[in-house]
Amino acid sequence: MGLTDTPRWLPCQYLYDAKGSALFEEITRQPEYYPTRTEAGILERHAADIRDATGPVSLIELGSGSSVKTSHLLSAYAKAGGPVTYVPVDVSAAALERARARIGRLHPTVRVDGIVGRYDEAFPRFRRHSPAMVLFLGSTIGNFNHGESVSFWQRVSRELAPGDYFLLGADLVKDVSVLEAAYNDAAGITAAFTLNVFARMNRELGAGIDLDRLEHVARYNEDWQRVEIFARFNSKQTVRIEPLDSAVEIAAGEMVMVEISRKFLLRDLTSHLATFGFAVRQVYTDDRRWFGLLLLQKEES
Ligand SMILES: C[S@@+](CC[C@H](N)C(=O)[O-])C[C@H]1O[C@@H](n2cnc3c(N)ncnc32)[C@H](O)[C@@H]1O
């Protein structure tokens, strides 16, 4: 895979086994990794305004992970009175279990109805929870390539009832040095996250990859407006896929794309979302305009 927008060979959920989830939590605490801290600050400042704008709604969070940032919203919705239902959705059962325990301690009045599964498994539940607001934070939308993003918005738009809300966290285009530092932390946690997927392939597919000959590479592609994360194979290797009884030859120096993280311009993003029937009700951002939190509402079709 190179610098194209062709479908990636690795759906992003495969990065999040139990170890991948734990490593992601560690990434969010690295000094170079600004997105989590910045988005949390925006949520903390504006949670009450968001609650005032939407009124009482069920909160459905796609790819909820630790749900730590979501606490700001859960507090605001609980404070406003009335029952609050929170539906976290994540492929990582371990992350969901940790989140459930934490929310039980911090927000005892919130009813948690989690789903261990993929995003699309939660879509049919949207109407049942209406009036609702779907949360998609952490700029996880940036992990989808253009085609995946179009399918995602088409489906979400179809499944949400008119009038329901969507709160989207989007990392914005900024100085390349800031972007590249965020994905090349000095402690090497993002590198460990990248290599973990190959360790998983060894475990689950019998791939037989020599992990010591792999190197994490993350760089910003200005043309595609995205950080691209690769594993560079420093020697020729044969990657076996035992369940399919097949193998793939990887040449020395070949780069295998593991993940992308697209960065957005607010004006492009809002016009893109309008094509799927979403009106932007409010855009919240930080002083440096590094991260955007968009409150969207599904319009009548
Ligand atoms: C980039 S992390 C973001 C976590 C959290 N929302 C945040 O903002 O910090 C992506 C999360 O989505 C989950 N995830 C990835 N692909 C998924 C999928 N297809 N369906 C459900 N969850 C998924 C991962 O397990 C992980 O917890």
Side-chain angles (χ1 to χ4, degrees):
M1 304 285 291
L3 307 180
T4 67
D5 200 31
T6 47
R8 287 167 302 119
W9 69 303
L10 202 67
C12 55
Q13 69 258 26
Y14 293 121
L15 296 165
Y16 292 92
D17 61 353
K19 176 133 187 244
S21 289
L23 284 168
F24 179 74
E25 294 310 318
E26 223 177 314
I27 288 171
T28 65
R29 293 190 287 272
Q30 298 311 300
E32 300 91 338
Y33 195 79
Y34 64 85
T36 305
R37 235 169 281 121
T38 310
E39 188 182 37
I42 301 170
L43 280 166
E44 183 173 13
R45 249 189 331 280
H46 297 292
D49 311 335
I50 295 168
R51 165 62 180 79
D52 290 347
T54 66
V57 287
S58 302
L59 301 171
I60 304 168
E61 182 167 9
L62 303 178
S64 47
S66 68
S67 301
V68 168
K69 282 176 296 192
T70 319
S71 259
H72 297 301
L73 290 170
L74 297 177
S75 292
Y77 280 77
K79 242 189 231 153
V84 180
T85 298
Y86 175 53
V87 185
V89 180
D90 205 291
V91 282
S92 168
L96 271 184
E97 202 33 61
R98 281 197 299 275
R100 178 193 294 280
R102 192 171 168 279
I103 294 165
R105 273 197 320 277
L106 297 179
H107 309 283
T109 60
V110 171
R111 177 166 174 265
V112 181
D113 185 9
I115 302 174
V116 180
R118 296 185 317 271
Y119 309 133
D120 53 295
E121 293 175 85
F123 293 157
R125 301 246 205 136
F126 286 0
R127 297 252 170 170
R128 196 184 312 167
H129 288 288
S130 183
M133 175 162 71
V134 175
L135 317 174
F136 201 32
L137 304 178
S139 205
T140 305
I141 189 68
N143 298 138
F144 294 161
N145 65 27
H146 180 72
E148 290 167 328
S149 171
V150 167
S151 314
F152 175 83
W153 288 115
Q154 280 172 337
R155 183 81 197 273
V156 168
S157 174
R158 234 185 4 252
E159 303 281 359
L160 266 186
D164 278 350
Y165 291 90
F166 195 106
L167 189 67
L168 175 69
D171 197 14
L172 304 179
V173 169
K174 60 182 69 59
D175 195 277
V176 176
S177 61
V178 176
L179 289 171
E180 292 193 339
Y183 295 85
N184 288 290
D185 57 275
I189 312 298
T190 310
F193 180 79
T194 300
L195 296 196
N196 179 56
V197 76
F198 297 93
R200 183 174 188 189
M201 288 168 73
N202 281 348
R203 219 171 39 243
E204 298 182 17
L205 303 177
I209 301 166
D210 180 355
L211 301 178
D212 292 336
R213 311 307 304 268
L214 304 192
E215 199 182 325
H216 160 86
V217 176
R219 61 196 186 198
Y220 188 59
N221 179 336
E222 299 213 26
D223 293 337
W224 286 90
Q225 242 174 259
R226 64 192 193 186
V227 174
E228 298 175 335
I229 301 172
F230 303 90
R232 180 192 286 129
F233 278 61
N234 286 333
S235 65
K236 177 172 177 289
Q237 295 203 42
T238 302
V239 177
R240 290 193 305 278
I241 305 165
E242 281 181 351
L244 299 180
D245 197 20
S246 71
V248 179
E249 294 292 336
I250 311 275
E254 198 168 326
M255 309 266 274
V256 175
M257 187 183 271
V258 173
E259 197 180 24
I260 57 170
S261 183
R262 293 195 297 146
K263 305 301 164 188
F264 301 92
L265 294 172
L266 282 173
R267 61 164 190 274
D268 294 348
L269 188 56
T270 53
S271 54
H272 181 63
L273 292 166
T275 64
F276 301 100
F278 288 100
V280 178
R281 296 292 176 226
Q282 194 62 254
V283 176
Y284 306 97
T285 185
D286 54 292
D287 293 344
R288 296 182 291 198
R289 295 181 71 79
W290 277 8
F291 202 94
L293 192 65
L294 286 75
L295 179 62
L296 314 170
Q297 190 170 25
K298 174 75 204 305
E299 294 186 298
E300 300 288 335
S301 32

